[in-house]
Amino acid sequence: MIEALLREPVHDAIRKCLRPYERRRLSSVGRRPRELWRPHAVAEITTCLQWCSSTKAIFCLNALACVARRTGNGQALKSAHTALGDRDGYIRAAAVRACGSVAKLGDLQVLTLISSCLDDFEAGVRVAVVEALAEVAGALDHQVIAAVKVCLRDRDPIVRAAAVQALAEVCEADETVMASVCTCLEDPVGSVRAAAVGTVGTLARAECGGRLFASVCERLKHKEWYVRVGALRALIALADQGNLEAMAAVRGCRDDPSGYVSVIATEATARMQLLRDSLRADASVA
């Protein structure tokens, strides 16, 4: 276990970037008895975190997230909590991730603490908050779902994309967020639409296919071609889960006035046909 943890890139980064004195102290931790390694590592890293520079502080927070993962270690959480007030946005983001990693699943105190950072002016911090909320919360945690849904309207596209992806992790078969996810298929930024397509595929696997299909099909009539592309890709994700209505809708998109939409639909239809032929051939052999 010790050897595996020491191979982690974050530990290599700490050994290279911390001052020689602290580097020796951290390296010596790996030679301690296995059962004492983690708590002693937390103590060593939090000591470094009290005085080190911004770059080294990020490495230390990443190290805390690694060595104290899911332990709920109070010392690690206290250090990460203190770092949430740092002037440097990169440190605040690393602190949020450390809180999310160290906390035990469903820890309401940590969820509340992380949620308080949703108003941070740095987009990177808000992304870290959304990801940490999804990591700590249990499935169908309605408080977290509500907080993440607010982020779907964030001014920064990377936050919106992270929020869409987070919904796939905390919603499972919950259909209350279907409209919100499908609305993101109309987002003007491609990365957000792509994230929405991925979430549609995940929710389809969670048995939300019926209502999801109707919501996605509405976007096939949108005037903007890129929205129709997003809807088509979402339909392909549903078709891959065996939704026959979605397969038929994908075939119908071959006549779309946009050449881009038509090509994607044609290629997907050909792929689905090959798959069906292969399955029939396997069935006949059996």
Side-chain angles (χ1 to χ4, degrees):
M1 179 180 177
I2 292 173
E3 290 76 11
L5 285 169
L6 287 175
R7 282 198 298 270
E8 290 287 334
V10 67
H11 288 280
D12 292 336
I14 288 174
R15 283 197 293 267
K16 291 176 183 176
C17 295
L18 290 178
R19 292 178 181 175
Y21 171 68
E22 291 298 329
R23 184 167 64 237
R24 285 195 297 274
R25 292 179 67 193
L26 286 169
S27 296
S28 69
V29 172
R31 295 194 290 272
R32 297 182 186 278
R34 175 175 174 176
E35 65 275 10
L36 297 178
W37 191 83
R38 279 197 174 195
H40 198 90
V42 170
E44 294 282 355
I45 295 168
T46 52
T47 298
C48 297
L49 193 56
Q50 293 174 4
W51 56 263
C52 62
S53 65
S54 296
T55 303
K56 296 171 185 176
I58 293 170
F59 287 135
C60 286
L61 288 164
N62 290 340
L64 281 179
C66 178
V67 301
R69 182 170 176 78
R70 293 289 166 266
T71 61
N73 183 281
Q75 188 177 10
L77 286 172
K78 183 178 179 180
S79 295
H81 186 186
T82 301
L84 289 175
D86 197 275
R87 292 178 300 173
D88 190 313
Y90 291 104
I91 292 179
R92 296 198 303 276
V96 168
R97 291 191 175 94
C99 286
S101 181
V102 174
K104 293 182 177 179
L105 293 177
D107 189 323
L108 293 178
Q109 256 190 325
V110 173
L111 286 172
T112 302
L113 175 64
I114 294 171
S115 298
S116 68
C117 300
L118 278 174
D119 295 330
D120 196 283
F121 62 90
E122 290 279 358
V125 178
R126 298 196 300 277
V127 168
V129 171
V130 169
E131 293 171 348
L133 285 174
E135 188 177 3
V136 178
L140 299 178
D141 186 316
H142 297 293
Q143 181 181 356
V144 171
I145 291 173
V148 173
K149 283 177 67 177
V150 170
C151 295
L152 293 175
R153 300 190 294 273
D154 194 275
R155 61 184 178 276
D156 198 296
I158 64 170
V159 180
R160 299 198 299 273
V164 175
Q165 292 170 336
L167 284 175
E169 298 180 40
V170 297
C171 289
E172 291 189 350
D174 190 310
E175 296 192 354
T176 60
V177 295
M178 291 298 103
S180 298
V181 172
C182 290
T183 298
C184 292
L185 292 170
E186 303 178 16
D187 197 279
V189 179
S191 60
V192 181
R193 297 195 302 272
V197 170
T199 299
V200 166
T202 302
L203 294 175
R205 288 190 289 274
E207 312 265 340
C208 294
R211 184 170 175 181
L212 201 54
F213 171 75
S215 297
V216 171
C217 279
E218 291 177 10
R219 271 74 190 179
L220 291 176
K221 303 172 185 176
H222 200 279
K223 63 179 181 179
E224 297 291 351
W225 66 270
Y226 61 81
V227 175
R228 300 199 300 276
V229 167
L232 174 58
R233 293 194 188 281
L235 282 174
I236 293 170
L238 291 174
D240 288 341
Q241 304 302 319
N243 188 311
L244 297 178
E245 290 180 309
M247 292 180 187
V250 170
R251 288 195 294 271
C253 291
R254 291 177 295 179
D255 299 326
D256 192 275
S258 168
Y260 191 38
V261 177
S262 177
V263 167
I264 294 174
T266 301
E267 290 176 350
T269 301
R271 180 173 57 80
M272 288 188 292
Q273 185 62 48
L274 284 172
L275 179 60
R276 283 198 300 271
D277 292 344
S278 175
L279 292 174
R280 285 183 190 136
D282 291 343
S284 63
V285 170

